[in-house]
Amino acid sequence: MTPRSFLLTPELADYVRASSEPADPVVADLLAETAALAARGEASPTYQIAPEQGTFMQLLTRAVGARRAIEIGTFTGYSALCIARGLPADGSLLCLDRDAGWTGIARRYWDRAGVGDRIEVRLGEALPTLRELPAGQTFDLAFVDADKSGYADYVAELHPRMTDNGVVLLDNTLREGRVLDPQDRDDVALAELNAALAADARWETVLLPLADGLTLLRKR
Ligand SMILES: C[S@@+](CC[C@H](N)C(=O)[O-])C[C@H]1O[C@@H](n2cnc3c(N)ncnc32)[C@H](O)[C@@H]1O
């Protein structure tokens, strides 16, 4: 039930994970509790990012020296846990999500991992919450993993809030390959956004074929 890339066989996914930093007990328990939610039909089995993506995001957060981060779409908190662990002890992560139940699960694991004091959750619709942040509130790193048709607005709102060289990560930008032949409005939204970003001189852009596609945008 653990999410894996549509590009990997189950054997290759196991190999990728065995060749990367191993999950610690907090992550293992969070993945298991989230998989149980999905097994009961209470959440989509594809919501949570893949373990190798979490490991990558933790490393990237630390490597770019991010201190202030924002996440749009938190669910049960795995990606936020990875980002928070990559921040320094006095760093901060602001999480936007509309679901109190899922972010309540997240909070238990963040506290257990000792990073709960770095993370603030704002419940509600993400776009108005983002728009209402104080004008001077900026971020070194952003991760977008909420409603796919909202991504273009999130990127537009994030641009003025990113520090120079700040990095925005966009999840699911391959839509399991359907960006080549969009089947629904979320596929169309991502296909259009991918094309627009590749031509947008304000960002340095790369779409990595990691998990379900992870786009990195560096603010020029
Ligand atoms: C794919 S899940 C996020 C998975 C998470 N990043 C992880 O790795 O576990 C998407 C989340 O976005 C939230 N969400 C979707 N649309 C939203 C919106 N318009 N405003 C706020 N939250 C939203 C959902 O409640 C859900 O928790």
Side-chain angles (χ1 to χ4, degrees):
M1 195 60 95
T2 306
R4 78 178 159 85
S5 172
F6 69 102
L7 295 166
L8 298 176
T9 61
E11 293 76 18
L12 265 176
D14 288 345
Y15 180 83
V16 165
R17 289 162 196 175
S19 307
S20 305
E21 180 107 342
D24 75 346
V26 181
V27 166
D29 289 352
L30 173 54
L31 299 187
E33 180 165 351
T34 308
L37 270 184
R40 293 196 301 271
E42 294 171 27
S44 165
T46 63
Y47 266 11
Q48 189 172 59
I49 61 167
E52 59 272 23
Q53 181 177 338
T55 306
F56 172 73
M57 286 171 47
Q58 184 169 320
L59 186 158
L60 181 77
T61 302
R62 191 171 286 124
V64 302
R67 304 184 69 80
R68 307 275 167 252
I70 182 169
E71 175 175 87
I72 302 173
T74 294
F75 187 43
T76 55
Y78 174 49
S79 50
L81 174 60
C82 297
I83 294 168
R85 282 179 154 173
L87 295 170
D90 64 347
S92 66
L93 170 62
L94 178 61
C95 290
L96 311 187
D97 202 294
R98 60 186 172 200
D99 194 289
W102 288 335
T103 53
I105 294 172
R107 175 62 69 192
R108 279 197 274 115
Y109 287 93
W110 299 335
D111 288 344
R112 195 177 137 195
V115 296
D117 59 342
R118 300 177 197 173
I119 305 176
E120 179 191 348
V121 175
R122 296 258 173 100
L123 288 174
E125 279 301 306
L127 189 59
T129 308
L130 185 57
R131 287 181 171 151
E132 285 160 14
L133 293 180
Q137 189 165 357
T138 58
F139 303 98
D140 310 306
L141 184 124
F143 178 51
V144 180
D145 190 18
D147 50 314
K148 308 308 161 192
S149 53
Y151 274 31
D153 284 337
Y154 296 135
V155 170
E157 288 296 325
L158 285 169
H159 187 271
R161 295 185 177 279
M162 300 309 294
T163 50
D164 287 348
N165 292 315
V167 174
V168 178
L169 308 173
L170 306 176
D171 200 31
N172 306 110
T173 49
L174 286 177
R175 302 285 299 160
E176 299 181 348
R178 295 188 305 276
V179 281
L180 292 180
D181 182 18
Q183 304 293 312
D184 62 22
R185 78 178 197 136
D186 288 348
D187 297 347
V188 170
L190 264 299
E192 289 180 354
L193 181 62
N194 288 339
L197 289 171
D200 189 335
R202 298 172 305 157
W203 300 105
E204 183 179 12
T205 302
V206 61
L207 196 172
L208 299 178
L210 171 66
D212 188 29
L214 183 69
T215 293
L216 272 68
L217 308 172
R218 182 188 67 84
K219 182 174 172 175
R220 290 189 201 272

